[in-house]
Amino acid sequence: MTSLDKASNGLLDKQTIEKAFKELGNLIRKRTNGNAYCELIVVGGASILLNYGFRLTTSDIDCSDEYKVLMNDLISFVASKYNLPEYWINSNFTNTKSYSDNLKRVSSHYKSYGNGVLEIRTIKDLYLLAMKIVSGRKYKNDYSDILGIISIMTEKKMIINKELLDKAIIELYGTHDVIDIDAYDFALEVIKNPNKYHYSEIVDRENTNLNTIKMSVHTNMNQEELEYVLSKLDL
């Protein structure tokens, strides 16, 4: 399956993301005569794709638009040219609990496009792990991403332990109160024994949980009933 085939299925891979960024950077440069500076901080699945190799696709690019210069018509043009989902890049995650005003400070430069008018920065390693622990969804890729990040860091002989993880959480959020305790405990388990879980098995359980939620929604459950279902999801 080619990159464009994946995009047509609503999925983006690393090659497609970088092509889209290149096109977007060139469009911003032409639109502004090179006088703009756009800084995007990429998180979530797209950051996983750009920095690691254990995930191959993502449904969209979650980012923080630090200078608020993203132009919807240019985003739509790129979507049309490369057959991408309409909202292939968006900042919706900034309204979720995993967002932090400190993201820029802990972000890392990835690449620049359009002769420097578009800089892509990413959140990775302990800080991305902290974000996944705060999000803690058992029906998305949060748990498999936690496992993947820790496994890659361990393979690279990077130091990772409870103290460093706690420090990253505090740096980002200023408190431990925002974490999902199940996701946090899972991360600590993986840090102690990276080989305890198999990545594909966690992904399968996440997909099963997602299907459970979809079935629950179709039965027109009220909010209280749905929250009960969510509380019973297992990994």
Side-chain angles (χ1 to χ4, degrees):
M1 182 179 288
T2 67
S3 294
L4 290 182
D5 288 332
K6 292 172 183 175
S8 65
N9 287 331
L11 298 174
L12 308 173
D13 62 10
K14 182 176 181 179
Q15 182 181 4
T16 301
I17 289 174
E18 292 193 332
K19 283 182 179 180
F21 280 151
K22 182 178 180 179
E23 183 73 23
L24 184 61
N26 288 335
L27 289 171
I28 294 174
R29 177 177 55 81
K30 292 176 183 178
R31 170 71 63 85
T32 64
N33 294 317
N35 294 320
Y37 174 67
C38 182
E39 181 180 276
L40 302 182
I41 300 176
V42 175
V43 302
S47 185
I48 296 287
L49 260 65
L50 296 178
N51 290 299
Y52 309 98
F54 61 87
R55 269 180 72 179
L56 300 179
T57 60
T58 186
S59 58
D60 62 359
I61 301 170
D62 293 316
C63 71
S64 173
D65 178 10
E66 292 299 297
Y67 291 88
K68 311 301 180 188
V69 297
L70 274 182
M71 303 165 190
N72 289 333
D73 62 323
L74 300 187
I75 292 173
S76 296
F77 179 87
V78 176
S80 178
K81 180 173 181 177
Y82 291 104
N83 199 25
L84 306 180
E86 181 180 1
Y87 300 106
W88 65 275
I89 185 169
N90 63 80
S91 58
N92 295 338
F93 98 96
T94 58
N95 296 317
T96 70
K97 64 178 183 176
S98 62
Y99 174 75
S100 166
D101 289 333
N102 295 319
L103 286 176
K104 181 177 180 179
R105 184 167 57 82
V106 303
S107 64
S108 303
H109 173 78
Y110 179 72
K111 282 184 183 179
S112 292
Y113 300 89
N115 290 338
V117 302
L118 174 62
E119 181 185 3
I120 302 300
R121 301 181 67 83
T122 63
I123 305 298
K124 60 183 182 179
D125 299 337
L126 283 168
Y127 298 112
L128 186 55
L129 188 58
M131 294 186 72
K132 290 292 180 178
I133 287 170
V134 170
S135 180
R137 296 163 299 182
K138 295 179 180 178
Y139 55 92
K140 289 285 245 182
N141 296 104
D142 289 335
Y143 279 72
S144 54
D145 285 345
I146 287 170
L147 175 58
I149 293 169
I150 294 173
S151 298
I152 294 295
M153 292 181 69
T154 302
E155 288 174 11
K156 292 182 176 180
K157 309 298 183 184
M158 299 173 68
I159 299 175
I160 178 170
N161 53 43
K162 180 180 183 298
E163 290 72 24
L164 290 175
L165 178 57
D166 289 345
K167 181 181 177 183
I169 293 170
I170 294 298
E171 279 189 67
L172 263 180
Y173 299 103
T175 177
H176 253 254
D177 295 343
V178 295
I179 66 172
D180 180 278
I181 191 63
D182 287 345
Y184 179 71
D185 289 344
F186 177 77
L188 294 183
E189 264 193 277
V190 176
I191 289 172
K192 290 179 182 178
N193 185 3
N195 298 317
K196 182 175 181 178
Y197 299 97
H198 295 287
Y199 180 77
S200 60
E201 290 178 1
I202 297 299
V203 171
D204 286 344
R205 293 182 195 177
E206 288 171 329
N207 289 335
T208 297
N209 288 341
L210 180 59
N211 289 332
T212 298
I213 291 174
K214 288 179 177 178
M215 290 176 62
S216 300
V217 170
H218 285 306
T219 61
N220 295 318
M221 284 187 173
N222 60 38
Q223 186 63 32
E224 183 177 347
E225 291 171 328
L226 183 56
E227 288 178 359
Y228 176 80
V229 170
L230 290 174
S231 71
K232 295 301 179 182
L233 296 180
D234 188 26
L235 284 170

